[in-house]
């Protein structure tokens, strides 16, 4: 029976597929019929009389299949499935996984089932849906259209306008097919009539349509008509969208309505997604759980969740296309609110958990080391620095662990604030650690902190991957025994074998450069140490609420006296000689310069080649008297460190680099930042690059070199950077342009992926959702009330794993 079992496995899924989805699927079944008839003869030799009889019945079902109408084709498919089921039982084939029945099992199980279980999907198609982020029924429903097409208005052929999109209802008068061109592409053409004129349409390389369309059918065609130069009809359409209307009252899903358009991937068109979406919503849509308390739905004027899911995919007849397109329809608002509410609830819950934790040793308030440190600086702290230090003191004196984010532009004095916090830990006999994203930055931090603290009697140890042999063993011993009060390092701090005597404070610099797991590992080195996160990337308020909702946020919004802003100029490619003259002047004065190239994955090889050629040109032709270095992300770590050290030490005068320099180095003698193709960078990234200069006492300048293809919008964006030095205002503009994922780099930031909401567009909904979340937790902190069971389950299912990691920034 083994050959029979293999045969049945081969035909089972295509039959199930065709029975579940009609239209384009039938030609695949016709090919299957030829395969079945060919196999029956061979299988008859090794089969029993009963099996041979059933195989002959199966073959006859497909003898004239392609001449039948849809209703008879469906009957044949159902009969074929029944025969296959009987044969599989005889052959001892295992039963495949079945879709979860609506009547059996709970709604959560039905929504969590993989798409592969649905009729007409299968492993290959399921993998394509997974590429689009929809491996399950629940994720499929959350895969909302990215745009909508209004196909509600039907035009008559007589009133068609060339090259404008129209939908036309015609009766098919004739259908034909053939091949054309050297590649022998198949062409299917139909002629339709709506009573006011004739319209022809053709499709390329879709031969099954010749059998799909039949004379006498009514079909809606949507596309851009053109005047027909060949006669026969006044207009023709090429590859229009189509939908056959078989019966009055049938729901249209591809035309005659506002039609959802989805992101596609190879082999998965919007038409296929729409068909599956409608069928799956009909089967499982009513099972979508209602998780919002009734008082919130009433107060916020929100429709039921299941209705919102259905209407977001297939809007009702009275829906406004403009509101759908902008994500502001009633259905969208309901889904956006729920998503943001669950996120706000998760953040607030996590913050409450942290506040419940007890810390055995707290800051006594004496602060002798901190006072001596501030007195030794030779300059007063700014009001903003004093405000943030006072807030940290209050956190460290309280009974719960500190979890604070300090934001501030480059040069605002975050390092001084961090050292004040570290000395508070040292005052209580505990250790503090400062983790930086690169070895060179860690070494620079260590040198600065040593100069400040060792005169106060606080030992500072540096631990990086470069440290080897005896020096490493001595550093590890000092850390473990508690001789080192402050430890500065890189990711080497989080590997096994690095043990702290009594870690009390973890300071994480430029935090979103680290993966979330790395930050969690560092925080886990102590007995729930206090955590201080520092970033020079200004995070807009709306994004900070989402990304750092469980952290307390402080902002240093004041620069120290005497720090001059960096002059910023926007230059065209034709003004390159002016840029080179300025560069030459600064080099002659003994200064250094950066030349930065964009580097994006899609054109990485081209970008690297351009950066390499620029370095060669600067060295050989323009500045032969200077030493030019090249730095990019593909270099080995040791080579990268060698170049960065050369630039930091003054051996390299011009550093040609990709944006890896964004946070990796601090060179006060560098006074020029020249950014090639500045239009290809985000505004916040440009602001960060600009902050690499202006760190010393000399006047500094940033040159934004706009490429020849820069449009008017690109110039306006760059002009905004020329005019403003306010990092938070620049970040707000950048976030609105690029979105949160690209702004921070979602994979590294730990930002939960929002399927429906947009943090800028939906800022008002975010505020309302946050207020409601606070009210829910005020009355039921653990979500144990009977009315909150579904809410708790939804929160755990969607966010828990990610939110627990986000607690460390």
């Amino acid at each position: 029976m083994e050959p029979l079992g293999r045969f049945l496995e081969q035909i089972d899924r295509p039959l199930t597929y065709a029975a579940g989805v009609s239209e384009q699927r039938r030609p695949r079944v016709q090919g299957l019929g030829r395969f079945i008839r060919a196999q029956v003869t061979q299988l008859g030799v090794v089969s029993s009389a009963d099996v041979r009889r059933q195989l002959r019945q199966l073959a006859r079902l497909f003898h004239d299949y392609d001449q039948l109408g849809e209703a008879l084709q469906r009957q044949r498919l159902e009969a074929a499935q029944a025969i296959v089921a009987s044969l599989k039982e005889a052959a001892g084939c295992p039963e495949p996984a079945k879709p979860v029945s609506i009547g059996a099992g709970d709604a959560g199980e039905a929504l969590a089932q993989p798409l592969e279980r649905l009729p007409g999907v299968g492993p290959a198609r399921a993998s394509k849906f997974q590429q689009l982020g929809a491996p399950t029924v629940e994720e499929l429903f959350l895969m909302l259209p990215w745009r909508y097409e209004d196909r509600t208005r039907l035009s008559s052929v007589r009133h068609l306008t060339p090259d404008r999109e129209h939908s036309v209802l015609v009766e098919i008068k004739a259908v034909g097919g053939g091949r054309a061109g050297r590649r022998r592409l198949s062409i299917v053409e139909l002629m339709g009539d709506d009573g006011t004129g004739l319209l022809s349409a053709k499709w390329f390389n879709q031969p099954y349509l010749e059998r799909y369309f039949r004379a006498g059918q009514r079909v809606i065609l949507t596309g851009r008509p053109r005047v027909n130069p060949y006669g026969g009809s006044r207009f023709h359409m090429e590859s229009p969208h189509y939908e056959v209307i078989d019966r009055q009252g049938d729901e249209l899903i591809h035309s005659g309505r506002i039609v959802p358009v989805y992101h596609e991937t190879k082999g998965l068109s919007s038409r296929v997604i729409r068909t599956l979406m409608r069928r799956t919503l009909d089967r499982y849509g009513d099972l979508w759980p209602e998780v919002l308390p009734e008082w919130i739905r009433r107060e916020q004027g929100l429709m039921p969740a299941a209705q919102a899911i259905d209407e977001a995919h297939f809007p009702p007849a009275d829906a406004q296309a403009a509101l759908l397109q902008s994500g502001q329809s009633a259905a969208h608002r309901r889904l956006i609110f729920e998503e943001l509410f669950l996120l706000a609830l998760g953040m607030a819950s996590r913050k409450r958990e942290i506040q419940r934790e007890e810390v055995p040793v707290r800051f006594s308030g004496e602060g002798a080391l901190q006072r001596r440190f501030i007195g030794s600086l030779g300059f007063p702290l700014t009001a903003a620095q004093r405000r943030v230090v006072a807030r940290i003191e209050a956190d460290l004196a309280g009974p719960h662990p500190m979890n604070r984010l300090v934001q501030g532009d480059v040069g605002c004095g975050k390092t001084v604030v961090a050292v004040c916090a570290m000395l508070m830990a040292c005052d209580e006999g505990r250790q503090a650690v400062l983790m930086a994203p690169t070895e060179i930055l860690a070494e620079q931090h260590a040198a600065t902190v040593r100069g400040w603290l060792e005169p106060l009697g606080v030992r500072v140890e540096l631990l990086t991957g470069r440290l080897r042999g005896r020096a490493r063993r001595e550093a590890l011993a000092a850390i473990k025994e508690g001789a080192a009060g402050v430890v500065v390092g890189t990711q080497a701090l989080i590997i096994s074998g690095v043990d702290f005597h009594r870690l009390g404070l973890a300071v994480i610099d430029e935090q979103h450069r680290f993966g979330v797991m790395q930050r969690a590992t560092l925080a886990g080195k102590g007995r729930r140490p206090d955590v201080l996160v520092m970033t020079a990337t200004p995070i807009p308020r709306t994004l900070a609420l989402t990304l750092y909702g469980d952290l307390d946020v402080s902002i240093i919004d004041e620069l120290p006296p005497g720090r001059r802003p960096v002059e910023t100029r926007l230059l065209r490619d034709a003004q390159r000689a002016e840029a080179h003259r300025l560069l030459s002047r600064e080099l002659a004065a003994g200064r250094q310069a950066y030349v930065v190239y964009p580097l994006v994955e899609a054109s990485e090889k081209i970008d690297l080649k351009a950066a390499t050629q620029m370095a060669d040109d600067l060295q050989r032709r323009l500045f032969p008297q200077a030493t030019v270095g090249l730095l990019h992300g593909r270099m080995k770590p040791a080579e990268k460190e060698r170049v960065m050290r050369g630039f930091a030490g003054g051996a390299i005068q011009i550093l040609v680099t990709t944006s890896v320099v964004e946070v990796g180095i601090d060179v006060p003698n560098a006074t020029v930042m020249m950014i090639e193709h500045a239009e290809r960078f985000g505004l916040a990234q440009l602001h960060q690059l600009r902050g690499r200069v202006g760190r010393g006492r000399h006047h500094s300048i940033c040159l934004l070199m706009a490429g020849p293809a820069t449009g008017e919008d690109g110039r306006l964006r760059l002009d905004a950077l020329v005019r403003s030095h306010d990092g938070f205002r620049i970040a707000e503009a950048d976030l609105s342009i690029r979105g949160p994922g690209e702004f921070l780099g979602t994979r590294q930031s730990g930002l939960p992926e929002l399927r429906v909401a947009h943090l800028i567009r939906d800022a008002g909904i975010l505020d309302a959702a946050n207020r409601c979340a606070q009210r829910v937790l005020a009355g039921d902190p653990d979500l144990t009330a009977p009315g909150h069971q579904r809410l708790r389950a939804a929160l755990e299912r969607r966010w828990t794993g990610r939110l627990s990691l986000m607690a460390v920034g």
Side-chain angles (χ1 to χ4, degrees):
M1 283 297 201
E2 191 175 327
L4 177 60
R6 286 198 301 268
F7 163 69
L8 294 173
E9 289 297 326
Q10 283 179 292
I11 67 172
D12 183 46
R13 190 173 293 281
L15 279 176
T16 306
Y17 191 80
V21 185
S22 60
E23 301 177 2
Q24 311 167 23
R25 319 299 181 217
R26 291 187 212 115
R28 296 177 60 178
V29 180
Q30 293 157 17
L32 185 63
R34 289 192 293 272
F35 172 74
I36 290 171
R37 292 194 295 272
Q39 291 292 309
V40 164
T41 304
Q42 299 176 31
L43 290 168
V45 178
V46 294
S47 302
S48 66
D50 185 55
V51 168
R52 286 198 299 272
R53 178 181 57 78
Q54 292 189 74
L55 287 171
R56 286 195 297 272
Q57 289 177 346
L58 187 63
R60 282 197 295 272
L61 288 174
F62 294 96
H63 180 67
D64 57 350
Y65 178 88
D66 54 342
Q67 276 82 49
L68 303 176
E70 182 180 351
L72 285 174
Q73 284 181 337
R74 282 191 173 279
Q75 291 177 15
R76 294 283 182 91
L77 289 169
E78 289 169 5
Q81 285 181 295
I83 292 172
V84 168
S86 174
L87 288 169
K88 288 181 75 175
E89 185 177 351
C93 298
E95 281 293 311
K98 294 180 179 178
V100 175
S101 167
I102 296 175
D106 91 328
E109 184 185 354
L111 294 173
Q113 67 178 311
L115 291 187
E116 185 178 337
R117 289 187 179 183
L118 302 183
V121 180
R125 180 150 288 170
S127 71
K128 294 184 185 298
F129 274 103
Q130 188 148 8
Q131 290 172 24
L132 296 175
T136 66
V137 171
E138 180 181 22
E139 297 293 342
L140 178 71
F141 289 167
L142 289 173
M143 192 178 84
L144 296 192
W146 73 278
R147 65 183 179 90
Y148 298 83
E149 290 184 0
D150 189 349
R151 301 180 190 170
T152 55
R153 298 178 183 176
L154 295 178
S155 304
S156 63
V157 172
R158 176 190 299 162
H159 295 115
L160 294 181
T161 304
D163 296 319
R164 289 185 58 187
E165 186 163 284
H166 292 271
S167 292
V168 187
L169 173 61
V170 296
E171 181 181 324
I172 299 175
K173 296 301 182 183
V175 182
R179 293 190 176 275
R182 285 180 296 179
R183 297 175 60 192
R184 306 299 293 161
L185 290 177
S186 67
I187 298 177
V188 174
E189 188 165 7
L190 70 73
M191 185 69 71
D193 185 358
D194 75 339
T196 71
L198 296 175
L199 173 68
S200 65
K202 65 174 63 174
W203 293 263
F204 300 94
N205 215 28
Q206 300 177 64
Y208 58 84
L209 291 179
E210 185 179 358
R211 294 180 294 273
Y212 177 63
F213 294 125
R214 297 190 304 277
Q217 285 179 326
R218 296 187 307 147
V219 61
I220 294 178
L221 301 175
T222 302
R224 295 178 180 273
R226 294 179 179 174
V227 176
N228 191 350
Y230 304 110
S233 67
R234 183 182 173 193
F235 292 106
H236 80 285
M237 290 181 177
E238 286 190 3
S239 301
H241 301 285
Y242 60 88
E243 183 159 19
V244 172
I245 304 174
D246 288 329
R247 294 176 294 275
Q248 291 290 338
D250 274 3
E251 183 186 10
L252 299 173
I253 62 174
H254 306 300
S255 57
R257 63 175 304 137
I258 295 176
V259 174
V261 180
Y262 299 92
H263 285 295
E264 302 176 350
T265 188
K266 188 176 181 181
L268 203 59
S269 66
S270 265
R271 184 182 184 87
V272 172
I273 296 171
R274 274 195 297 273
T275 302
L276 179 66
M277 190 72 74
R278 181 66 275 167
R279 192 175 71 248
T280 310
L281 280 167
D282 288 342
R283 185 178 180 90
Y284 298 115
D286 288 341
L287 301 182
W288 191 264
E290 183 59 77
V291 301
L292 294 181
E294 195 274 334
W295 68 266
I296 292 180
R297 300 200 306 274
R298 186 178 62 252
E299 183 181 282
Q300 298 296 322
L302 302 173
M303 66 170 60
Q307 179 186 350
I309 282 286
D310 197 276
E311 290 189 7
H313 288 286
F314 296 98
D318 60 349
Q320 297 182 45
L323 292 179
L324 290 163
Q325 210 74 268
S326 61
Q328 294 177 314
S329 71
H332 282 90
R333 187 177 185 280
R334 169 63 172 84
L335 299 176
I336 290 165
F337 184 94
E338 180 175 318
E339 184 170 49
L340 294 176
F341 173 75
L342 287 174
L343 180 58
L345 196 67
M347 286 290 195
S349 297
R350 178 58 196 159
K351 192 168 186 176
R352 284 172 180 262
E353 285 178 28
I354 294 170
Q355 291 171 346
R356 287 175 182 171
E357 296 178 21
E358 297 290 333
V359 179
V361 179
R362 302 313 288 157
F363 178 57
S364 64
E366 295 297 323
L369 281 172
Q370 183 201 138
R371 286 198 303 275
R372 289 171 59 198
F373 163 64
I374 293 173
S376 70
L377 286 173
F379 55 84
L381 300 186
T382 64
Q385 286 173 312
R386 291 197 301 273
R387 184 178 67 244
V388 175
V389 168
R391 186 63 263 180
I392 292 171
E393 283 181 358
D395 287 346
L396 295 181
H400 309 297
M402 177 176 70
N403 213 28
R404 181 167 294 277
L405 170 72
V406 175
Q407 294 178 253
D409 254 333
V410 173
C412 70
K414 294 186 299 299
T415 306
V416 169
V417 169
V419 170
C420 287
M422 291 191 287
L423 288 176
M424 294 179 209
C426 293
D427 262 323
E428 302 300 330
R430 306 178 79 190
Q431 292 169 294
V433 61
L434 169 60
M435 187 162 80
T438 65
E439 288 199 356
I440 187 73
L441 199 54
E443 290 176 3
Q444 290 177 335
H445 274 318
T448 302
V449 174
R450 273 193 184 123
W452 284 336
L453 300 191
E454 291 195 341
L456 304 179
V458 177
R459 180 171 170 179
V460 178
E461 280 292 342
L462 172 68
L463 187 65
T464 67
R466 291 172 57 87
L467 206 60
R468 294 282 190 272
R470 181 179 175 183
R472 182 176 184 82
R473 289 193 297 273
E474 289 177 352
L476 290 173
I479 295 169
K480 187 173 183 177
E481 293 163 8
V486 171
V487 183
V488 181
T490 58
Q491 297 178 34
L493 290 166
I494 65 175
I495 64 174
S496 61
V498 180
D499 300 311
F500 289 84
H501 176 67
R502 204 177 179 209
L503 180 60
L505 173 67
V507 179
I508 304 171
D509 190 16
E510 293 296 354
Q511 50 75 37
H512 75 267
R513 298 288 155 181
F514 295 104
V516 182
M517 289 300 299
Q518 293 167 316
R519 304 197 293 266
T521 304
L522 177 61
K525 289 280 184 179
R527 231 184 107 193
R528 193 53 185 95
D530 296 291
V531 175
L532 182 67
V533 173
M534 300 195 303
T535 179
T537 303
I539 309 296
R541 187 190 66 84
T542 50
L543 187 55
L545 178 61
T546 306
L547 184 58
Y548 304 117
D550 58 337
L551 275 75
D552 297 303
V553 179
S554 295
I555 298 174
I556 303 177
D557 52 5
E558 181 182 359
L559 292 177
R563 174 145 182 140
R564 293 182 290 179
V566 176
E567 180 187 353
T568 307
R569 297 186 196 175
L570 176 58
L571 301 178
R572 298 182 181 87
D573 205 50
Q575 297 170 290
R576 187 167 296 278
E578 180 183 340
H580 289 157
R581 281 195 299 272
L582 191 149
L583 200 57
S584 181
R585 185 189 71 200
E586 291 297 303
L587 292 174
R591 311 288 170 252
Q592 293 165 273
Y594 298 96
V595 178
V596 179
Y597 263 83
L599 188 64
V600 295
E601 190 174 346
S603 57
E604 185 174 3
K605 289 183 179 178
I606 297 172
D607 292 337
L608 280 178
K609 184 179 179 182
T612 304
Q613 288 176 342
M614 167 61 84
D616 189 63
D617 192 47
L618 288 171
Q619 182 68 83
R620 293 175 181 273
R621 186 174 65 86
L622 295 169
F623 304 105
Q625 77 283 5
T627 302
V628 179
L630 176 64
L631 181 68
H632 57 77
R634 283 197 167 187
M635 294 167 63
K636 293 180 179 179
E639 179 66 10
K640 202 184 298 184
E641 286 288 324
R642 186 189 66 78
V643 174
M644 292 173 78
R645 287 175 195 284
F647 189 65
I652 294 173
Q653 286 79 51
I654 301 175
L655 183 62
V656 178
T657 176
T658 62
S659 54
V660 295
V661 77
E662 194 177 335
V663 297
I665 198 168
D666 186 3
V667 182
N669 192 50
T671 57
V672 179
M673 171 62 70
M674 182 175 173
I675 305 173
E676 296 284 348
H677 293 286
E679 75 282 355
R680 290 171 59 185
F681 290 89
L683 287 179
Q685 195 177 18
L686 289 171
H687 181 64
Q688 285 288 292
L689 288 169
R690 178 169 62 180
R692 290 296 101 195
V693 296
R695 291 169 166 257
R697 54 192 175 84
H698 307 291
H699 175 73
S700 296
I701 189 164
C702 177
L703 303 174
L704 304 176
M705 306 301 297
T710 306
E712 186 62 27
D713 287 347
R715 289 194 63 81
L716 287 174
R717 287 176 57 246
L718 295 176
D719 277 334
L721 193 75
V722 172
R723 292 192 303 270
S724 176
H725 285 80
D726 184 333
F728 288 94
R729 185 170 294 177
I730 291 167
E732 286 281 4
D734 199 31
L735 177 61
S736 66
I737 293 166
R738 295 197 293 160
E742 192 180 346
F743 176 83
L744 280 179
T746 302
R747 291 185 184 274
Q748 281 297 96
S749 70
L751 176 68
E753 181 187 358
L754 298 175
R755 301 297 302 269
V756 188
H758 186 286
L759 291 173
I760 292 295
R761 180 194 67 196
D762 304 321
I765 300 177
L766 176 61
D767 286 339
N770 192 52
R771 288 194 300 271
C772 288
Q774 297 294 341
R775 288 166 63 186
V776 166
L777 290 175
D780 184 14
D782 298 315
L783 298 178
T784 54
H788 291 157
Q789 296 306 302
R790 284 185 174 180
L791 185 57
R792 183 185 179 93
L795 182 65
E796 290 175 350
R797 188 172 69 254
R798 293 198 200 177
W799 296 125
T800 295
R802 281 167 281 189
L803 289 170
S804 61
L805 285 174
M806 291 170 68
V808 293

